[in-house]
Amino acid sequence: MTAELRHLRAFVTIAEEGTVTGASARLGIGQPALSRTLRQLEEHLGVRLVDRSTHHLDLTAEGAALLPRAASALAAAEAVLDPARLGRRPLRLGHAWSAAGERTVSLLRAWEAAHPDTALELLRIDDRSAGLAQGRVDAALLRGEPADLALLGLPLRTEWLLTEPRVAAVPDGDPLAALERVTLAELADRPIAVNTVSGTTTPRLWPEGGRPECQVEVANTDDWLAIIAAGRAVGVTVDSTAGFRPHPGVTYLPLTDAPALPLVLGWIDPPAHPLVGQLAVLARRIMSPEAGPHRV
């Protein structure tokens, strides 16, 4: 048997829905036929992709490893086969928050100048992988150390772009807002706003014995900013957020003793778009310290 797009589509939909019943309704395919398609894919690959021992289907380790590749390949194939986009499919660049900070506009303008026939679409997706895991983007701006990015479980290739200093975000009315800079210890006695979906800050940023006892969990950057502006918490982010996401009621301050955070361009290998490699080269040039903040 030769695997086809319908096999990947069946697998990805079943994984997203969590049940054959839900996937069947979404695809408009009978359950027996959908189960048979999944089984054919498993036989072709020689591995079991879905654990059928429970009412809610769970992916096996092999299924979890295949899912991002399958979603990316399916999205790329469907875009290529869309007659309306033939020959000019945009390059989709995901980010979870702050994109590339003040260099975002420079990157977009430089791409437009170099590749006028291929749009670079910037998509904010509230997800730690910025849409890569679901095949919603071709590449993504990701923040974190290599070990942190490895936890995403994706077959990632990355291009290091720069390292960003961390800053504290505090309510305007907080006494800390009057300071020129702060330390982690000065934040520790306040509730910490933690973006559990796409953020990179956790209590582990603080040393043992000095970690915050209270955290306020949010699911996106907008809620993170609103919680801080309301005076319910303080937060930690990178300095690009201060320029890219200013907010009335929030003051950003240099954080003197927190490690800087790498910003990388990441994509799933093999890339879903033929120009990902050229984006990596251009992004590295735009982000280099010699380029300055607004070079095009």
Side-chain angles (χ1 to χ4, degrees), residues 61 63-69 129 133 146-156 268:
L66 177 65
L67 180 58
R69 290 178 179 269
S129 74
D148 298 325
L149 297 177
L151 295 177
L152 296 175
L154 302 174
L156 275 182
I268 290 177

Side-chain angles (χ1 to χ4, degrees), residues 6-284:
R6 63 187 179 88
H7 293 97
L8 294 181
R9 185 177 295 108
F11 166 65
V12 170
T13 307
I14 289 171
E16 291 176 346
E17 293 292 329
T19 65
V20 173
T21 301
S24 173
R26 179 170 149 187
L27 293 173
I29 301 173
Q31 293 184 41
L34 187 59
S35 296
R36 184 165 57 252
T37 301
L38 174 62
R39 187 166 59 253
Q40 289 171 345
L41 179 60
E42 291 178 321
E43 291 173 353
H44 174 75
L45 296 174
V47 295
R48 196 173 185 84
L49 301 173
V50 175
D51 183 358
R52 302 167 176 78
S53 62
T54 61
H55 178 70
H56 182 90
L57 300 182
D58 295 315
L59 297 183
T60 63
E62 293 80 6
L66 177 65
L67 180 58
R69 290 178 179 269
S72 179
L74 187 61
E78 290 178 340
V80 168
L81 295 174
D82 182 353
R85 303 172 77 178
L86 185 61
R88 58 181 186 274
R89 183 169 80 83
L91 175 55
R92 304 164 301 168
L93 177 61
H95 72 105
W97 40 274
S98 299
E102 63 183 358
R103 289 178 169 83
T104 303
V105 173
S106 295
L107 176 61
L108 295 175
R109 289 177 177 173
W111 180 268
E112 174 66 20
H115 302 278
D117 295 329
T118 302
L120 180 60
E121 291 186 350
L122 187 65
L123 303 173
R124 176 187 157 190
I125 299 175
D126 289 312
D127 172 74
R128 186 68 180 89
S129 74
L132 280 177
Q134 302 84 20
R136 297 172 63 185
V137 297
D138 304 302
L141 294 162
L142 304 172
R143 289 176 170 88
E145 298 290 345
D148 298 325
L149 297 177
L151 295 177
L152 296 175
L154 302 174
L156 275 182
R157 287 193 61 186
T158 59
E159 176 76 17
W160 181 91
L161 300 177
L162 53 82
T163 301
E164 299 175 294
R166 297 198 201 230
V167 299
V170 303
D172 277 354
D174 193 290
L176 292 176
L179 302 178
E180 292 186 1
R181 59 187 59 84
V182 295
T183 64
L184 288 171
E186 289 174 306
L187 302 178
D189 62 349
R190 290 167 168 76
I192 304 297
V194 175
N195 182 343
T196 58
V197 175
S198 60
T200 57
T201 299
T202 72
R204 293 194 303 275
L205 181 63
W206 282 258
E208 274 192 73
R211 291 174 178 169
E213 295 184 359
C214 180
Q215 66 181 53
V216 181
E217 295 186 352
V218 297
N220 57 64
T221 305
D222 292 332
D223 292 346
W224 182 85
L225 287 166
I227 287 292
I228 295 171
R232 291 182 52 194
V234 299
V236 174
T237 183
V238 291
D239 66 348
S240 61
T241 305
F244 197 77
R245 300 297 300 275
H247 190 285
V250 175
T251 295
Y252 295 100
L253 299 166
L255 190 55
T256 60
D257 57 347
L261 196 64
L263 173 68
V264 305
L265 181 74
W267 64 92
I268 290 177
D269 196 29
H273 194 288
L275 295 183
V276 166
Q278 295 188 45
L279 175 63
V281 172
L282 182 62
R284 185 70 183 91

